[in-house]
Amino acid sequence: EVGDLKPGTTYYYQLENGDNKSGVYHFTTGGSGDFSFAFVGDPQIGASGNVGSDTTGWGKTLDLIKTDDRFSDVSFLLSAGDQVDTHNNENQYDGYLDHDVLTGLPSATVIGNHDSASDTYSKHFSVANESSQYGKTNAGGDSYFVYNKTLFLILNSNNLSTAEHRQFMLDSISAVEDQDIQWKIVVFHHSVYSVASHAVDKDILSRRDALVPVFKELDIDAVLMGHDHVY
């Protein structure tokens, strides 16, 4: 973790582990005002049965974000979960993480159903403002972060307690009330509306019935989800 970063500034860093040292990498912090981010769903390295192929495909996506003019002003990457297919498979995590683009592109992740069964997820990602009480599964709990007056509420939808998610969102909104929040965006893994086969799953219908009224109650501006591998 690093702190006291200034906006619009390039920082250089190196990782050390005993006698081992990485290369020197850099990233540039964003400014203020309008911003954009790259939203992806279900990279799920290993899902095809071929980790190498999935890693290559994911790498092409990341390279596109870095090189395509349409994404030239992207401030960070936001993944809607299922970064890997098998929750505790280190080869799959290597396939997700070992890309040069990610050394300089800030990223935030969501706990998907394929990530949820163990604490391996929490050993690979530093999660901002993670709740130790609400939305918990083995992989972690609900969390939030603020970027340029936008509150991102990250729910661990593998936990089916609507009451916990509601309380987490209430507490988080209250915690940032002095930051002039202009947008509230919820992100979680299981799409409650979709054109794919999961749309009629019993657990999805349950989430839809329970969560949507809470989002209306709390005046949420947008909800972003994954899980279904479709647009």
Side-chain angles (χ1 to χ4, degrees), residues 180-199:
D180 188 25
I181 298 300
Q182 297 180 5
W183 299 90
K184 298 192 293 290
I185 298 178
V186 168
V187 192
F188 58 93
H189 181 64
H190 299 82
S191 287
V192 294
Y193 295 106
S194 169
V195 297
S197 58
H198 283 310

Side-chain angles (χ1 to χ4, degrees), residues 2-221:
V2 294
D4 298 323
L5 301 180
K6 298 178 180 179
T9 304
T10 298
Y11 291 89
Y12 294 83
Y13 68 97
Q14 184 179 52
L15 305 179
E16 296 185 5
N17 183 7
D19 294 330
N20 297 317
K21 295 183 179 181
S22 74
V24 177
Y25 307 117
H26 69 275
F27 64 93
T28 302
T29 55
S32 60
D34 295 347
F35 68 96
S36 65
F37 59 93
F39 179 68
V40 298
D42 302 70
Q44 205 165 333
I45 306 301
S48 73
N50 187 322
V51 170
S53 175
D54 294 348
T55 299
T56 299
W58 174 231
K60 289 180 179 179
T61 300
L62 293 172
D63 289 341
L64 186 69
I65 294 171
K66 181 179 181 180
T67 61
D68 193 295
D69 289 342
R70 292 173 296 176
F71 305 106
S72 61
D73 61 348
V74 163
S75 295
F76 59 90
L77 174 75
L78 179 58
S79 173
D82 282 1
Q83 284 70 227
V84 296
D85 190 59
T86 305
H87 62 91
N88 59 354
N89 187 302
E90 290 298 333
N91 288 331
Q92 293 176 12
Y93 267 107
D94 284 348
Y96 179 80
L97 291 168
D98 192 11
H99 299 275
D100 287 344
V101 175
L102 293 179
T103 64
L105 179 66
S107 63
T109 52
V110 174
I111 300 172
N113 57 296
H114 284 265
D115 310 312
S116 182
S118 73
D119 66 351
T120 309
Y121 172 92
S122 65
K123 294 178 179 178
H124 288 84
F125 303 108
S126 179
V127 179
N129 305 301
E130 183 177 13
S131 174
S132 60
Q133 184 176 3
Y134 301 124
K136 294 282 290 183
T137 62
N138 289 332
D142 294 343
S143 62
Y144 77 86
F145 65 92
V146 174
Y147 194 96
N148 288 7
K149 299 183 179 181
T150 300
L151 172 62
F152 289 85
L153 297 157
I154 312 298
L155 306 183
N156 181 1
S157 56
N158 298 283
N159 183 313
L160 289 171
S161 174
T162 302
E164 288 188 25
H165 296 314
R166 179 181 179 276
Q167 191 60 54
F168 168 78
M169 289 187 284
L170 284 169
D171 292 349
S172 301
I173 292 168
S174 177
V176 300
E177 60 185 0
D178 62 340
Q179 298 188 39
D180 188 25
I181 298 300
Q182 297 180 5
W183 299 90
K184 298 192 293 290
I185 298 178
V186 168
V187 192
F188 58 93
H189 181 64
H190 299 82
S191 287
V192 294
Y193 295 106
S194 169
V195 297
S197 58
H198 283 310
V200 292
D201 288 354
K202 184 177 179 180
D203 64 308
I204 298 299
L205 296 176
S206 175
R207 290 184 181 91
R208 182 188 307 170
D209 290 343
L211 289 172
V212 172
V214 176
F215 299 150
K216 291 181 178 179
E217 173 197 355
L218 300 183
D219 196 25
I220 301 301
D221 296 292

